[in-house]
Amino acid sequence: MDKTNTRNMILAAALSLLLLFGWEAAMRHFYPEANKPQPVATSAAAAATAPGAPAPEPSASAKPTREGGLTSDADKVLEAKDLQSALNPAGRITIAAPGLSGSLNLTGGVVDDLTLNRHTASVEKSSGPQRIFSPAGTPAQQLAQFGFLGAGVSAPNAGTVWTAPAGAKLTPQSPVTLTWNNGAGQTYSLTYAIDADYMITVTQAVSNAGTAPVTVKPFALLNRTDKTASLDSWNVHSGPFGAYDGTVTFNPNYKDVLKDGQVSNAGKTDWVGFTDIYWMSTLIPDAAGATSSFRTMGGGIYRADMVYGDATVAPGQTLKRTTRLFAGAKESTVLDRYEAAGIPHFGLAIDWGWFRWFEKPIFWLLKSLFGLVGNFGVAIILLTLIVRGVMFPVAQRQFASMAAMRAIQPKMKALQERYKDDRAKQQEEVMKLYKQEGVNPLAGCLPIFLQIPVFFALYKVLILAVEMRHQPFVLWIKDLSAPDPLHIFNLFGLLHFTPPAFLGIGILALMLGITMYFQFKLNPAQMDPAQQQVFAIMPWMMMFVMAPFAAGLLIYWITSNLLTIAQQTYLYSRHPQLKAQADKDAADTKRAKARG
């Protein structure tokens, strides 16, 4: 082996190691294992208070996981214990709707107990519904409060016990009105209504039966811990967000709010709140308009405040403000339906990114195929068939280009031999040959480049779409949005340890490497030995790189590889001279290696 080939081999090996271990470091940063407990700083939970109340000093919290939720076993035990005591039926109004279940707390009129009926807490169906709101003081604290600030008039606060009608129950057919009288002529009311999905509409009202005008400022707030937050990464935002003046803004993040103490949102607030990868809670003001801000309450507790302007209520008059609370799953069709009903850009609460113009059609097609076959894994395979079918004419042109490249190989080898000591001149003459023969050496890469948008769109769909969460395929694949759970290096779970991400090679990753290997074997041998060495290593490198990705993404790529192999076999049968040349090149390469 000459010095150039040796250098190329060393360079290829070094780059491979850099990619392998660099990718592992990136995966640990952006995708920490969801089932791996993280150390959690202990602190007292901050209760919901009206806007303007002083905040305690902030403290650090644990690093979140990709999906979010409590990571500490101690917190999980404490959460279950706290819920048993906090959700005592006395002093609560039951919520029962198709999308949401839970209860209202009469103390403070707080919405602090909500679970999602259409989504389970884990992949196990017996795990029960996913909880989204928990009362103040619990480890998973998250809640919404609606109230009033009074200027020289007594107004309800977080400790106010509201009065509800006997036997009240909040359902889509039966709204509930809570009332409180301040003893000075003003009666406050909160009327809650709920729909079949995840929207609670709250009408805040104050009636003035006194002899003088009163000034009040209605408000609404969201209060939550970051202990249950999902990971805020470079491609998926988690944390404070909102829409202002018709523009959706995926910022600030929790660190920004922690650093500044309070972040005010510029422009008219269309909606504001907190988002995780799959869930969100947002406040939507009525036409009167409101200002909004985010603040830290300390102890890993954050708040989104939405405040209406001062309003004067004359004697005998009633002031009303209608605020909507969305607390639920970011189901694309549900959000789009709310947007169509008048909430600006609500469908963009899913962080599709710049390529949503392509990702949403792919998602629509995937859901349509799922509707036909009832299995998202099969739908992904059918999607791959459609993509490859559309690109088949491109593959035919690719093979025509490869045939043309093979036809001029003798001339290229002559040029390489003639100018072997002058690399610049050799490259110049090769480019002239390409031009004379009308050959484009990059044409063979076109199908790969065309697949990249589809691959990226499916990647975003798998990590963003709650519809993909916990969707099974077959056998051991119980969740297409999660990595393959069976790892070769722990004998598929027989050994009680979890390999690091770059060694977490599952069956799907192994299938990916094998199918890519055979796909590359069918390609003509590269004339540059360094390129040939890179192509020989690449299938196994991609096996390691792709192992931590969602199982659904690997199923797409494996299917694509198998279809490529079938395409190549078919097209070789149409171009026998190309197959003969590829076999000759492979034999020549093998003999050269044996001599070297």
Side-chain angles (χ1 to χ4, degrees), residues 384-398 446-454 556 560 564 567 571:
T384 315
L385 284 166
I386 291 171
V387 171
R388 298 298 303 186
V390 169
M391 293 200 312
F392 186 71
V394 179
Q396 286 182 305
R397 287 195 293 273
Q398 174 197 15
L446 184 59
I448 296 175
F449 285 118
L450 290 178
Q451 281 195 80
I452 288 175
V454 180
Y556 169 82
S560 181
T564 300
Q567 276 187 351
L571 291 171

Side-chain angles (χ1 to χ4, degrees), residues 66-408:
R66 191 187 77 86
E67 185 171 323
L70 295 174
T71 57
S72 163
D73 289 337
D75 274 342
K76 293 175 184 177
V77 171
L78 184 59
E79 171 78 3
K81 181 179 178 181
D82 286 351
L83 287 176
Q84 281 188 334
S85 58
L87 300 183
N88 191 316
R92 287 188 169 270
I93 302 297
T94 298
I95 298 173
L100 293 168
S101 294
S103 61
L104 295 172
N105 192 344
L106 291 178
T107 301
V110 177
V111 183
D112 62 357
D113 171 29
L114 290 177
T115 56
L116 309 179
N117 297 331
R118 294 200 283 259
H119 300 276
T120 56
S122 74
V123 71
E124 300 299 331
K125 300 302 182 184
S126 60
S127 61
Q130 172 71 34
R131 174 167 291 278
I132 186 170
F133 275 13
S134 289
T138 62
Q141 170 175 330
Q142 187 169 187
L143 51 89
Q145 182 184 352
F146 304 84
F148 306 83
L149 298 172
V153 61
S154 179
N157 56 41
T160 298
V161 179
W162 294 75
T163 300
K169 183 177 183 180
L170 179 58
T171 71
Q173 295 76 36
S174 57
V176 170
T177 298
L178 310 182
T179 58
W180 180 76
N181 190 290
N182 65 0
Q186 288 77 45
T187 299
Y188 298 85
S189 66
L190 298 173
T191 300
Y192 296 86
I194 192 170
D195 68 7
D197 291 309
Y198 307 116
M199 193 72 77
I200 298 175
T201 302
V202 183
T203 302
Q204 301 163 254
V206 53
S207 298
N208 184 10
T211 58
V214 296
T215 300
V216 295
K217 187 192 295 281
F219 74 86
L221 64 83
L222 295 167
N223 178 298
R224 70 162 295 168
T225 177
D226 65 355
K227 282 185 179 181
T228 56
S230 60
L231 184 68
D232 183 28
S233 63
W234 65 274
N235 61 343
V236 181
H237 175 72
S238 174
F241 80 140
Y244 318 101
D245 291 334
T247 301
V248 179
T249 303
F250 289 97
N251 61 61
N253 57 37
Y254 289 116
K255 290 181 181 178
D256 296 330
V257 180
L258 184 63
K259 177 184 176 183
D260 298 334
Q262 181 170 340
V263 176
S264 297
N265 301 312
K268 177 187 174 183
T269 297
D270 299 314
W271 45 269
V272 66
F274 298 101
T275 183
D276 295 305
I277 188 170
Y278 291 133
W279 333 113
M280 71 176 187
S281 54
T282 57
L283 299 168
I284 303 104
D286 67 10
T291 60
S292 65
S293 63
F294 300 102
R295 63 165 52 196
T296 176
M297 304 301 294
I301 303 297
Y302 294 84
R303 211 174 66 195
D305 295 321
M306 194 182 74
V307 184
Y308 293 96
D310 288 328
T312 299
V313 187
Q317 299 298 311
T318 298
L319 169 74
K320 291 184 178 182
R321 292 287 182 265
T322 300
T323 304
R324 284 177 286 180
L325 164 68
F326 178 95
K330 296 197 291 186
E331 297 168 9
S332 180
T333 52
V334 171
L335 298 184
D336 289 344
R337 188 161 60 245
Y338 286 133
E339 181 175 330
I343 303 178
H345 302 301
F346 210 53
L348 299 184
I350 299 175
D351 190 6
W352 295 109
W354 292 349
F355 299 103
R356 64 176 179 269
W357 58 271
F358 192 71
E359 292 158 15
K360 294 193 77 170
I362 288 291
F363 185 38
W364 173 85
L365 178 57
L366 193 60
K367 288 197 299 181
S368 299
L369 293 171
F370 172 70
L372 292 174
V373 298
N375 184 297
F376 260 112
V378 177
I380 289 172
I381 292 173
L382 293 176
L383 173 69
T384 315
L385 284 166
I386 291 171
V387 171
R388 298 298 303 186
V390 169
M391 293 200 312
F392 186 71
V394 179
Q396 286 182 305
R397 287 195 293 273
Q398 174 197 15
F399 265 69
S401 175
M402 289 167 60
M405 285 290 293
R406 284 298 161 195
I408 66 171

Side-chain angles (χ1 to χ4, degrees), residues 26-42:
M27 288 300 101
R28 284 201 308 267
H29 178 75
F30 291 117
Y31 297 97
E33 297 171 62
N35 60 349
K36 183 177 181 180
Q38 303 283 344
V40 180
T42 57

